[in-house]
Amino acid sequence: MKRKNCLFVIMTMLLVLIILFCTTETVMSQGRVSRQKQYYADMEKQYLSDIKNTLNEKGYPQSGITIRWVSDGEGLRSYTVMIHHRKINSLNNNEIEKLQKELTVTEFNDESCTFSYEFLTT
């Protein structure tokens, strides 16, 4: 009888420890995800501001800018930046490539992120 009680207590303690471990890991994981989201939100906000400033300096004030990102299962982010301004319609391919190169300078330096640009024309 003592042996059964002892075994019961040991198994109960083991289960409690497993539950505590799983709960702790879940909470820690949520904190890490929250910090990562905040990191990217801050970087994206600065990136948008830098793009606007660059476009204003190049003569494209009040450009329409849409930033869309997709994350894969490994945490890599792929950003697509869509820019619309009526003056961009009149640019030839070389001028668009030059503008795109100037915009790549504003990208934030994160190895897990890639950027592509689309210039929307009417």
Side-chain angles (χ1 to χ4, degrees):
M1 189 72 160
K2 278 186 168 184
R3 194 170 196 182
K4 285 185 180 181
N5 285 342
C6 184
L7 184 59
F8 176 76
V9 169
I10 290 173
M11 292 302 288
T12 303
M13 290 174 64
L14 182 62
L15 288 173
V16 168
L17 288 174
I18 290 171
I19 291 169
L20 287 173
F21 175 76
C22 291
T23 303
T24 302
E25 286 299 312
T26 301
V27 169
M28 290 175 65
S29 175
Q30 289 174 348
R32 185 177 66 244
V33 168
S34 177
R35 284 189 304 275
Q36 187 179 34
K37 283 183 180 180
Q38 186 60 46
Y39 165 77
Y40 283 115
D42 292 344
M43 296 299 286
E44 291 162 4
K45 184 177 179 181
Q46 182 61 47
Y47 177 53
L48 179 60
S49 175
D50 292 345
I51 289 175
K52 285 181 180 182
N53 290 338
T54 299
L55 290 170
N56 285 340
E57 291 171 4
K58 300 299 175 187
Y60 307 105
Q62 299 179 349
S63 295
I65 302 169
T66 301
I67 300 175
R68 182 180 64 209
W69 61 268
V70 177
S71 180
D72 69 2
E74 298 174 4
L76 301 176
R77 286 182 173 221
S78 177
Y79 287 88
T80 302
V81 181
M82 294 172 279
I83 301 170
H84 174 67
H85 193 278
R86 65 176 173 230
K87 286 185 180 178
I88 292 176
N89 290 341
S90 63
L91 298 179
N92 63 37
N93 287 340
N94 290 336
E95 293 170 322
I96 288 177
E97 286 180 21
K98 182 180 176 186
L99 179 59
Q100 184 173 340
K101 285 180 183 178
E102 292 170 351
L103 291 172
T104 59
V105 175
T106 63
E107 297 171 1
F108 52 93
N109 191 16
D110 190 317
E111 292 179 5
S112 65
C113 299
T114 59
F115 297 84
S116 64
Y117 297 90
E118 293 179 11
F119 296 95
L120 306 176
T121 58
T122 55

